[in-house]
């Protein structure tokens, strides 16, 4: 039943309790990373810090149950939080709504779009967003995150907006730098990197968080100007609150919601596929999309904001030995436990320490190896990367996402329309080879019979290009038969069929004949149903055959019969080929 694909948690029916210990230990490790990241990411989004923890609680449980991947941990992420922050600031300025109200409403709209994308099997959409575009956005977002934390590093005033605007606003207030803030931020960076060097499995971010809270409490540094999370908003002890989205903000939030939905799906599907390669799990991307949407709906009603699949926490979950999706469920349950008990302690975290942690996480987003790979690729890859990167710095982030998607679509359409037409001639060993159609002298060809191999997608967008490629044969006075080989062409539709019909009719009027060779069954059915086969002449259609070049030989016999009075030198190479095939076949039968 089709509904079962959207209920992946049914695989827990066969849950083996010997996996319980491994799942619980893995989830405990992930939660150590979840706490500081949740608070830090909420800061990026311009939301109350508690919302980062709420987004890592109930959505993590729901995402684990309804998404296809067994190891992806759902929750707030770096790049998505930055996009949410841009939307929150814009919506709050336009509508006067509070940040939390905007955050949960945005999660609601994002969840709806993602859920229906999964139901409508639109999972392939994520494949059309190219790697250079995704890498350009994430790299640009990493720089924006780092620059956005500079005021917290120095304890000075800052501003939101484009990259240049943030740098100018920060530099103007550097004279009021707080040495305590700089010390805590730089100390966090150094300690986290040092602990990673010792053992990457150590929860460096949590260790630094605990140490900084202890130092602030014992030395009363808050009284000396060291700001803590509680100065932004308190983190009350208790369950995530029940929240209701405000649908009247749809018109304002729609552009940002679409951008968040696209980024979240691309990000989470990339994480799921990367882990599936390591574990060998077969993913159902439609269920992955729908599950991500349900997780965002859960965030909307439990005080969270738009969530995605976290690369760092998901990879840690898998590396820590998680065996089933219950590990991610435990992550959400443990986060609820943290909220019930540790909220008043977490809110004592120095903001400068979180800023230092975000500098490290922003650096992690800059994947230098993949950037080098992109820059060594094609010119279109480099242009897509650089254009998206610069777009994140000079445009609002939702517009930067749209620009990146637009670039991906343009690149796709450009390649989708790229037809290849090469002439097939007889080579030195009496076998067919392909050459540039403009230089037939490089092989033995026939002036009266030309064979063109058409390769690539031949749908409506390529009809004009196909028309242009075939028109030139009408002006060749020596040509009598054009054989168009379609074995390597696909995606035929009625538009391209009508182009073939028009060319065939015009060639007939000019005393020429169009033969279609290697016609696939689906293409033949289209030609039959549309009436094109009858107008071209069924004798001029040669479907694909099981034997190697069998259909080619049949088409050549037809062409030679139509042009028996032609002259192309002492001996026609195509006639020689057919004769040689007859000799080989007779020899094989005798043997």
């Amino acid at each position: 039943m089709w509904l079962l694909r959207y209920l992946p948690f049914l695989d827990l029916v066969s849950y083996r309790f010997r996996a319980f210990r491994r799942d619980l230990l893995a989830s405990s490790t992930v939660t150590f990373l979840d706490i500081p990241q949740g608070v830090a990411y909420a800061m990026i989004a311009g939301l109350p810090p508690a919302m980062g923890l709420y987004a890592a609680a109930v959505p993590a449980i729901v995402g684990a149950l309804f998404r296809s991947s067994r190891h992806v941990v759902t929750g707030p992420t770096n790049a998505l939080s930055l996009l949410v922050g841009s939307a929150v600031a814009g919506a709050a300025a336009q509508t006067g709504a509070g940040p939390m109200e905007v955050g949960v409403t945005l999660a609601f709209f994002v969840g709806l779009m993602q859920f229906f994308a999964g139901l409508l099997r639109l999972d392939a959409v994520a494949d059309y967003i190219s790697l250079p575009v995704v890498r350009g956005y994430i790299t640009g977002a990493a720089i924006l995150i780092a620059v956005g934390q500079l005021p917290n590093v120095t304890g000075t005033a800052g501003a939101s907006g484009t990259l240049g605007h943030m740098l100018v606003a920060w530099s103007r207030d550097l004279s009021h730098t707080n040495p305590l803030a700089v010390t805590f931020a730089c100390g966090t960076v150094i300690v986290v990197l040092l602990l990673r060097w010792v053992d990457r499995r150590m929860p460096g971010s949590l260790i630094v968080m605990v140490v900084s809270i202890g130092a602030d409490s014992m030395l009363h540094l808050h009284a000396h100007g060291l700001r803590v999370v509680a100065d932004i908003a308190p983190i009350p002890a208790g369950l995530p609150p029940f929240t209701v989205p405000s649908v009247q903000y749809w018109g304002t939030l729609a552009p940002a919601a679409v951008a968040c939905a696209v980024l979240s799906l691309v990000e989470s599907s990339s994480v799921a596929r990367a882990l599936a390669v390591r574990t060998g799990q077969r993913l159902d991307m439609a269920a992955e999309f729908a599950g991500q949407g349900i997780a965002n709906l859960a965030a909307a009603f439990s005080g969270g904001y738009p969530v995605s699949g976290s690369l760092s926490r998901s990879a840690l979950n898998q590396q820590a030995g998680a065996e089933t999706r219950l590990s991610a469920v435990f992550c959400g349950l443990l986060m609820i436990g943290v909220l019930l008990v540790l909220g008043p302690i977490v809110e004592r975290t120095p903001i400068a320490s979180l800023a230092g942690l975000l500098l490290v996480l922003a650096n992690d987003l800059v994947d230098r190896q993949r950037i080098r790979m992109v820059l060594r690729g094609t010119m279109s890859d480099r242009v897509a990367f650089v254009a998206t990167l610069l777009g994140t710095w000079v445009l609002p982030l939702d517009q930067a996402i749209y620009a990146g998607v637009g670039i991906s679509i343009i690149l796709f359409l450009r390649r989708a329309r790229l037809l290849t037409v090469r002439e097939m001639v007889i080579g030195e060993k009496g076998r067919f080879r392909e050459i540039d159609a403009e230089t037939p002298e490089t092989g033995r060809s026939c002036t009266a019979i030309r064979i063109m191999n058409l390769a690539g997608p031949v749908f409506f967008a390529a009809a004009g290009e196909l028309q242009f490629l075939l028109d030139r044969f009408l002006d060749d006075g020596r040509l009598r038969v054009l054989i168009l080989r379609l074995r390597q062409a696909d995606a035929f539709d009625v538009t391209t069929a009508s182009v073939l019909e028009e060319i065939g009719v015009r060639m007939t009027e000019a005393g020429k004949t169009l033969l279609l060779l290697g016609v696939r069954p689906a293409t033949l059915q289209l030609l039959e149903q549309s009436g094109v086969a009858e107008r071209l002449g069924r004798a001029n259609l040669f479907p694909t055959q099981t034997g190697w070049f069998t259909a080619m030989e049949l088409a050549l016999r037809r062409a030679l019969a139509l042009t028996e009075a032609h002259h192309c030198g002492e001996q026609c190479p195509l006639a020689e080929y057919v004769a040689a095939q007859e000799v080989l076949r007779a020899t094989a039968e005798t043997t």
Side-chain angles (χ1 to χ4, degrees):
M1 185 177 178
W2 71 270
L3 183 61
L4 294 179
R5 71 183 304 175
Y6 297 104
L7 303 174
F9 59 84
L10 293 178
D11 62 7
L12 292 175
V13 172
S14 59
Y15 185 76
R16 297 169 299 176
F17 281 97
R18 63 187 180 91
F20 176 83
R21 179 175 175 273
R22 294 176 65 87
D23 287 339
L24 185 60
L25 288 176
S27 64
S28 302
T29 304
V30 173
T31 305
F32 289 150
L33 180 62
D34 231 346
I35 298 171
Q37 282 193 358
V39 176
Y41 292 162
M43 287 176 52
I44 293 176
L47 296 169
M51 289 189 71
L53 302 181
Y54 298 154
V58 177
I61 298 172
V62 174
L65 294 175
F66 285 95
R67 66 189 313 151
S68 174
S69 174
R70 294 192 298 266
H71 292 96
V72 171
V73 178
T74 304
T77 63
N78 233 339
L80 184 59
S81 295
L82 186 65
L83 181 54
V84 170
S86 175
V88 167
Q94 292 182 44
T95 65
M100 186 170 189
E101 188 178 18
V102 175
V104 298
T105 303
L106 192 61
F108 177 73
F109 292 140
V110 169
L112 280 181
M113 286 185 281
Q114 292 180 331
F115 176 70
F116 284 109
L119 289 186
L120 296 174
R121 305 288 305 277
L122 299 180
D123 44 286
V125 172
D127 295 333
Y128 293 101
I129 311 300
S130 66
L131 171 63
V133 167
V134 174
R135 187 49 49 194
Y137 175 81
I138 292 178
T139 303
I143 303 300
L144 286 175
I145 290 170
V147 172
Q149 293 308 307
L150 291 179
N152 292 328
V153 170
T154 56
T156 56
S160 59
T162 62
L163 180 66
H165 184 67
M166 288 192 294
L167 284 172
V168 170
W170 171 67
S171 62
R172 286 176 177 172
D173 201 40
L174 279 178
S175 58
H176 298 94
T177 296
N178 185 337
L180 274 176
V182 175
T183 300
F184 270 73
C186 294
T188 297
V189 172
I190 294 171
V191 172
V192 170
L193 294 179
L194 183 61
L195 291 176
R196 283 187 180 183
W197 179 74
V198 174
D199 189 346
R200 294 190 67 89
R201 294 173 296 180
M202 296 179 66
S205 56
L206 183 66
I207 293 173
V208 169
M209 184 177 183
V210 171
V211 171
S212 63
I213 292 174
D216 174 63
S217 300
M218 290 186 296
L219 300 177
H220 305 288
L221 298 177
H222 184 253
H224 293 83
L226 184 67
R227 298 176 67 229
V228 296
V229 168
D231 293 329
I232 300 176
I235 301 178
L239 293 171
F242 176 74
T243 49
V244 179
S246 301
V247 294
Q248 67 264 30
Y249 299 136
W250 164 247
T252 303
L253 292 177
V258 174
C260 286
V262 171
L263 178 60
S264 173
L265 290 177
V266 171
E267 189 176 39
S268 61
S269 62
S270 299
V271 172
R273 285 169 173 163
L275 295 180
V277 169
R278 302 178 191 174
T279 62
Q281 181 188 0
R282 295 185 62 182
L283 297 176
D284 184 334
M285 295 310 297
E288 192 72 18
F289 275 32
Q292 182 65 50
I294 297 173
N296 270 297
L297 291 174
F301 291 99
S302 62
Y305 66 96
V307 295
S308 181
S310 167
L311 175 59
S312 58
R313 298 193 295 277
S314 301
L316 180 61
N317 185 44
Q318 187 264 327
Q319 293 167 4
E323 291 192 12
T324 73
R325 63 182 68 251
L326 274 187
S327 175
V329 171
F330 293 152
C331 287
L333 293 174
L334 289 173
M335 183 56 70
I336 291 176
V338 169
L339 286 165
L340 286 171
V341 179
L342 301 180
I345 297 176
V346 174
E347 71 180 18
R348 302 304 306 171
T349 306
I351 291 176
S353 291
L354 291 175
L357 174 61
L358 284 171
L359 290 179
V360 175
L361 296 176
N363 180 69
D364 293 342
L365 285 178
V366 182
D367 191 332
R368 294 163 180 80
Q369 180 179 355
R370 286 190 177 273
I371 292 174
R372 284 194 293 269
M373 181 179 71
V374 169
L375 295 178
R376 291 171 181 168
T378 65
M379 177 59 72
S380 61
D381 290 334
R382 292 192 289 271
V383 169
F385 172 79
V386 173
T388 308
L389 175 67
L390 295 178
T392 62
W393 295 344
V394 300
L395 297 172
L397 285 178
D398 57 335
Q399 294 182 20
I401 287 287
Y402 293 140
V405 172
I407 291 171
S408 290
I409 292 174
I410 291 171
L411 293 177
F412 165 72
L413 292 177
R414 180 175 176 270
R415 292 172 182 172
R417 292 192 55 175
L418 190 59
L419 291 179
T420 301
V421 179
R422 294 177 66 82
E423 183 165 11
M424 298 185 70
V425 298
I426 303 298
E428 294 180 357
K429 297 182 179 180
R431 298 177 181 176
F432 278 105
R433 58 188 293 262
E434 293 184 12
I435 63 169
D436 191 327
E438 300 295 333
T439 56
E441 66 276 4
T442 58
R444 298 179 63 204
S445 61
C446 176
T447 57
I449 303 172
R450 303 281 293 278
I451 308 171
M452 296 295 161
N453 186 52
L454 185 65
V458 193
F459 61 110
F460 64 90
E465 189 175 358
L466 178 63
Q467 179 95 42
F468 175 79
L469 290 170
L470 297 180
D471 271 346
R472 61 183 180 179
F473 293 106
L474 291 169
D475 300 326
D476 188 346
R478 299 172 299 175
L479 180 67
R480 291 292 174 268
V481 177
L482 173 63
I483 301 177
L484 194 61
R485 188 170 184 259
L486 306 178
R487 189 180 185 88
Q488 297 176 338
D490 53 22
F492 265 90
D493 59 15
V494 69
T495 306
T496 47
S498 65
V499 170
L500 294 178
E501 177 189 5
E502 179 187 347
I503 293 295
V505 170
R506 291 169 61 191
M507 291 188 71
T508 300
E509 293 174 351
K512 307 175 189 293
T513 305
L514 174 66
L515 304 184
L516 299 185
L517 167 65
V519 183
R520 296 182 179 183
T523 304
L524 182 60
Q525 182 180 8
L526 173 64
L527 296 177
E528 292 279 3
Q529 292 176 347
S530 61
V532 174
E534 183 177 352
R535 286 185 284 275
L536 289 179
R538 288 182 172 80
N540 298 328
L541 303 182
F542 298 88
T544 53
Q545 301 285 333
T546 55
W548 187 254
F549 278 97
T550 301
M552 172 70 82
E553 185 177 346
L554 295 174
L556 286 177
R557 289 180 181 277
R558 169 71 172 160
L560 291 169
L562 291 170
T563 59
E564 57 183 356
H566 86 280
H567 299 282
C568 60
E570 295 182 0
Q571 186 67 34
C572 175
L574 298 180
E576 287 182 350
Y577 173 83
V578 172
Q581 296 303 307
E582 291 178 350
V583 172
L584 289 174
R585 187 163 46 254
T587 302
E589 291 174 354
T590 302
T591 304

